[in-house]
Amino acid sequence: MMLSEVERLNLNNVSSRMPQHGGKSWKKIGFHSGKKTSKVRFVPSKTKHDNDVGVFLSATYEEEKNELCMWSVDPMAQFEESGEKLNLKCSLNCEFDCVDMKISDSGRVFLCWSDGSCGMFTVYPTLQPSFTWQNLHRSGGQLHCACRGVDVMGEDVVTVGDDGKLILLNSYNQTPVKSIDASSVGLTSVCFSKHNEVVTGNSRGQIAFWDLRNEGGKPTGVLCLSRLRGEKTVHPTANSLEKHPTRTHLLLSGGSDGCVTLWDLRNAKFPVEFERTHTGPVLEAHFHPEMQECIVSCSSSGDAFLWDCSLPSTPSTFNPVANDQDAWSSVGRAHHPQVTTLLPKVTETSVTSLALSHNMIVCSKDPGFLFVYKKQLN
Amino acid sequence: METLHLSSIFFSLELIFHLAEILNLDHSQTSHMVPKLQEWIQYYFNESSDLADSVIKSRDDKSPVECNPDFWPAVTGLIMTAQCKEARRLLGLHSKKETPAIRTLRQLLHSKPELQSSGGASVAINFSVQWEAWLKEVRNQLISGVFSTNQHCLELAELLAGDNKAEKLVYENSETWYKFLVTYVSYWKPTVESFRLGEIARKSMERFGMDSQMKAVDKILLALFESDLYQVIESLQEFAESGWASLHMTDLLYHAGLLSNVVGQDNKIAENLRTDLIIQFGTLLAANDCVWRTGLSYLDFAGSQGVGHINLILQSRGPKSAKDAEILLYEAGKRNLVKAERTICSVVSRQYLMEKRLGSALMWAIKGENHSLASSVAELVLREMAVNDEYSISDVLPDLGTSIISSGHLVFLVKYNEYLTKYHDGNRKEAVNILIDLITSGLAPPYFIPVLLKKSAQAAKEAVKEFNSTDLSNILGVLEELVVTAHINGTKDANSAVACLEGSEREIREVLAQSICQAEIAELAKM
């Protein structure tokens, strides 16, 4: 098929606007062609050596028979064009489309389904279903009400859905703990900000902060993704929200207007917008778990980018950035991120999801491709 | 079972496309067919190489390699598929390789001239000269009887010489007529031109008795050899029912500029044929829930007809969920299909309206620029507020932007929400100004006036200094008008505005009257 010709392109293809920065490059080590995948996530591993075999999960959507699959990939394996080095370890059948997936550090997997329920699975010793909270998000009519986002912190799990509800669950409890009518429009993404505090995004471009200990149904703060584009006000859907793993004042959002926005919550009035790079809705944006100053994002227009926000090693006379200045505070103002293209963009089919581990990235692209890349230091 | 069936179809399609490439796309005045046909057969039918490999691997010291029953079939197969170097190498493992028969055969294989696939007439002429010389050498060796000691070598030498006696050997060792064809042209007609291949193909098929038993693949391959591209496309359509193969073949020929030859030198007909096939295949995919977006990307290449189909598909494909609708919107927006965007948004908005999810209904109505629908939703919200004194969609009202201008109800709703927010936040002065505007502007729907009057009374009680006497008088005037109008019309039904005021009318009058006095006193004091 056509795509096998494409994969021979040099992966270090860089957008002509922005050169590659630093010594990091990515080598393809795995490829699979199969069902349309909506989410891929790495199973957290206890050790972080470069040669460790990686294990990740993929969940499908819009298929006659949807599946949740577990794969292992060996970073040391030699990749041949005609061969597959992705080892399918097991798969489970699922009735509905997967809309979101998160894996906790303890190996519990939480999946959001398109029928409004949320399923919990365990990874160790093998992938198996644990419990499903049915009908968490419900509609009264013909439009299905999907569970759109999930996040987990410790035992606590939060889900959001098209019905505008924010629901708090506990991994050991089959009854939801709390339900908040958070928005009159559908909620599309959620993440834990700290214990008891949650951030939600809705389809109107509003990002709201909630203290779960409060009784009232009012957020403690609201940010806005809406902006004026020409003569019209655009209200992008907040498709993706993520907090930085260590710097809790940093929040990343991916919007349906193709913009990746970085918020410093200490100074939230002036977010940094990485725009005009994705030409379609951003589906996911993540902080890299190991490369502390890198962001990855993917979109419906077929792009996947790595944004390296670290300070330039040799400050130019035009951008005199002090060596001890924080890269995150000055990115977008004193210096610009360097962007690398992760996937050769041949067709405009969506890159639906990215999974990140310390040394590998998995990209899922419609209609049914999985690409695995390994980081190589030059 | 199904996978096996599908992979055999895929294999056949690859075979066909590769041959089409050789005969039509790669083709130029200077290219020679035979080396390419040899490559084609070697790529898809490499059983001889595999057999040779297995013979070599199974070698041991106990018995000579030629005792392996696969040895001579492997050598024969390699020579038939023009892999002479490999055949020679295998023969070199023979325990009696120094005997005259084998040594001579190996030498002939070594000196056999190879034709390059490109190079033009001069290369062909050089090759012919060398070939004739080599053939003469082979025939001389045959006549000399050096091969008489070894029947296999004799048969293979006859094949190299293009002797008719070898034709039976080739026939017996060819699984298919096209393998036979390639061997035949390799040794009997090494400089054959492409236009003669049709004739040779027919003869090969007759030899195999294929006339009555032609399978679809055979029909297509024959049509390719005969350069009957129309037949190729037609047969592909029957062969692989989804139409993928015939579409891509037509498309390739179109881009190579060969399609107009197929349809009688008419570019317009060629384009129409291609467009029709694209639409056929694209709409087939678009009807499938899994690959409908791929269908749209095919239809993108069908010009204005394709755009029409995409428009229709996007508008008639009922979104099953909000996420579905977002994807449909994206596909429509990518192609600037404004009407489709509006239709999708309106459909979703109406569905949310039926479910009484007013916030989502309003949001989608505004997205779709459906002013009347947005107005209807706003009215429903206002009616809800008139009855319940609270409403569910306060979170989306603040930043609706410029889209509200299209609907009076929406403007009113946003302003009222602004009043409530400011009042609640303690910004009484601005809130009161908004309230006064709302009451006196005439924008308020009749059923909502009682709400405004009650709010005015409440605000007057709590923050009288923010009002001036004129405004308060105007508000009282509105109350009077309401009561008088109802009295004149004689309406006493439960839903009328006056009925909503029942009970609080007196209280509102008292509050307003007192507030007017207070305001006038305050104004006099300032003077």
Side-chain angles (χ1 to χ4, degrees), chain A residues 96-307:
Chain A
F96 297 102
D97 296 349
C98 169
V99 182
D100 197 9
M101 170 167 32
K102 288 273 163 54
I103 308 184
S104 71
D105 289 334
S106 55
R108 283 207 197 91
V109 187
F110 296 89
L111 252 70
C112 290
W113 304 121
S114 53
D115 71 331
S117 56
C118 176
M120 179 167 70
F121 297 77
T122 46
V123 173
Y124 307 114
T126 55
L127 184 64
Q128 58 197 16
S130 183
F131 176 72
T132 303
W133 290 273
Q134 297 283 5
N135 297 324
L136 279 179
H137 299 277
R138 274 167 285 200
S139 78
Q142 280 192 324
L143 275 180
H144 293 172
C145 183
C147 181
R148 294 288 292 263
V150 66
D151 200 10
V152 53
M153 185 180 266
E155 281 177 21
D156 293 329
V157 183
V158 279
T159 68
V160 291
D162 284 332
D163 56 357
K165 285 198 160 68
L166 166 64
I167 298 183
L168 176 64
L169 306 164
N170 185 293
S171 310
Y172 296 105
N173 198 336
Q174 295 184 357
T175 323
V177 173
K178 194 174 188 177
S179 171
I180 302 172
D181 277 323
S183 173
S184 62
V185 298
L187 288 173
T188 50
S189 50
V190 67
C191 74
F192 268 103
S193 160
K194 30 188 186 257
H195 216 74
N196 290 320
E197 191 183 271
V198 150
V199 192
T200 59
N202 72 9
S203 40
R204 195 72 190 143
Q206 292 163 328
I207 295 176
F209 294 78
W210 303 87
D211 187 330
L212 296 173
R213 294 164 297 193
N214 286 354
E215 280 312 315
K218 295 276 173 214
T220 52
V222 178
L223 300 172
C224 215
L225 285 176
S226 312
R227 73 197 79 240
L228 205 58
R229 282 264 162 85
E231 288 172 356
K232 272 171 70 166
T233 313
V234 166
H235 304 276
T237 304
N239 283 326
S240 160
L241 279 177
E242 188 164 294
K243 270 292 190 98
H244 195 279
T246 52
R247 293 160 186 253
T248 51
H249 59 270
L250 291 175
L251 178 70
L252 191 66
S253 70
S256 60
D257 57 348
C259 210
V260 174
T261 311
L262 175 70
W263 308 81
D264 183 336
L265 297 175
R266 302 170 302 189
N267 185 15
K269 274 197 182 155
F270 303 103
V272 177
E273 290 157 11
F274 303 139
E275 57 176 356
R276 287 193 288 271
T277 307
H278 284 297
T279 48
V282 174
L283 296 178
E284 287 192 9
H286 300 289
F287 286 107
H288 197 283
E290 292 293 310
M291 294 156 67
Q292 289 284 315
E293 287 157 349
C294 285
I295 292 170
V296 286
S297 60
C298 63
S299 77
S300 292
S301 50
D303 311 302
F305 294 127
L306 179 91
W307 310 75

Side-chain angles (χ1 to χ4, degrees), chain B residues 144-433:
Chain B
S144 72
V146 67
F147 298 113
S148 50
T149 51
N150 188 321
Q151 182 61 23
H152 294 289
C153 290
L154 177 65
E155 285 174 352
L156 290 170
E158 281 167 352
L159 168 59
L160 293 181
D163 195 320
N164 287 336
K165 289 186 216 151
E167 193 260 10
K168 185 161 175 268
L169 173 75
V170 176
Y171 172 70
E172 280 166 5
N173 283 285
S174 299
E175 297 91 9
T176 56
W177 62 270
Y178 35 93
K179 232 178 145 183
F180 176 89
L181 180 151
V182 174
T183 312
Y184 177 79
V185 297
S186 299
Y187 294 103
W188 276 261
K189 305 237 182 279
T191 52
V192 70
E193 296 96 336
S194 57
F195 56 83
R196 296 208 190 282
L197 286 173
E199 192 188 313
I200 299 175
R202 281 229 172 251
K203 287 202 175 120
S204 310
M205 287 185 94
E206 275 167 27
R207 184 72 176 82
F208 275 71
M210 295 297 298
D211 285 1
S212 49
Q213 307 167 38
M214 252 202 276
K215 286 195 260 184
V217 181
D218 299 315
K219 217 168 155 188
I220 300 170
L221 291 174
L222 175 65
L224 279 171
F225 282 121
E226 290 185 326
S227 294
D228 185 355
L229 296 176
Y230 185 79
Q231 180 63 44
V232 171
I233 296 173
E234 209 185 4
S235 304
L236 274 175
Q237 192 111 9
E238 292 163 9
F239 173 58
E241 328 85 39
S242 69
W244 176 88
S246 56
L247 165 61
H248 279 283
M249 180 64 80
T250 310
D251 186 57
L252 276 172
L253 294 174
Y254 174 78
H255 288 294
L258 297 171
L259 193 62
S260 37
N261 299 345
V262 173
V263 292
Q265 301 295 338
D266 191 329
N267 280 338
K268 201 77 190 102
I269 298 183
E271 265 182 52
N272 289 346
L273 172 64
R274 177 175 169 269
T275 304
D276 283 345
L277 287 175
I278 292 174
I279 289 177
Q280 207 174 68
F281 188 61
T283 46
L284 177 73
L285 289 187
N288 180 297
D289 277 340
C290 184
V291 290
W292 65 275
R293 289 169 89 176
T294 312
L296 294 188
S297 61
Y298 270 94
L299 288 169
D300 282 332
F301 290 95
S304 56
Q305 280 191 59
V307 172
H309 278 270
I310 293 174
N311 225 337
L312 208 62
I313 289 166
L314 289 176
Q315 289 183 63
S316 59
R317 194 185 165 83
K320 295 202 252 332
S321 67
K323 192 150 189 249
D324 249 0
E326 283 160 22
I327 294 176
L328 283 170
L329 261 190
Y330 169 63
E331 293 291 339
K334 227 165 58 167
R335 297 167 174 90
N336 288 326
L337 299 173
V338 176
K339 188 157 177 272
E341 284 179 293
R342 288 186 180 156
T343 310
I344 294 162
C345 290
S346 300
V347 163
V348 176
S349 176
R350 286 199 184 91
Q351 286 184 318
Y352 275 125
L353 198 57
M354 288 201 305
E355 288 176 36
K356 300 274 182 273
R357 287 191 47 80
L358 299 177
S360 297
L362 183 63
M363 186 189 87
W364 283 93
I366 291 175
K367 235 190 227 197
E369 293 175 12
N370 190 333
H371 308 307
S372 57
L373 192 53
S375 211
S376 309
V377 178
E379 190 179 334
L380 279 176
V381 176
L382 288 170
R383 285 199 184 266
E384 186 188 308
M385 285 161 75
V387 171
N388 297 335
D389 199 26
E390 61 176 13
Y391 56 105
S392 51
I393 72 167
S394 52
D395 56 331
V396 295
L397 292 177
D399 58 340
L400 286 179
T402 49
S403 46
I404 62 171
I405 293 172
S406 52
S407 157
H409 278 123
L410 209 43
V411 173
F412 182 82
L413 180 59
V414 168
K415 276 314 230 187
Y416 183 67
N417 181 64
E418 203 183 323
Y419 155 72
L420 286 177
T421 317
K422 286 194 160 63
Y423 197 85
H424 184 262
D425 290 343
N427 194 343
R428 299 261 166 109
K429 188 165 174 55
E430 281 186 38
V432 163
N433 285 340

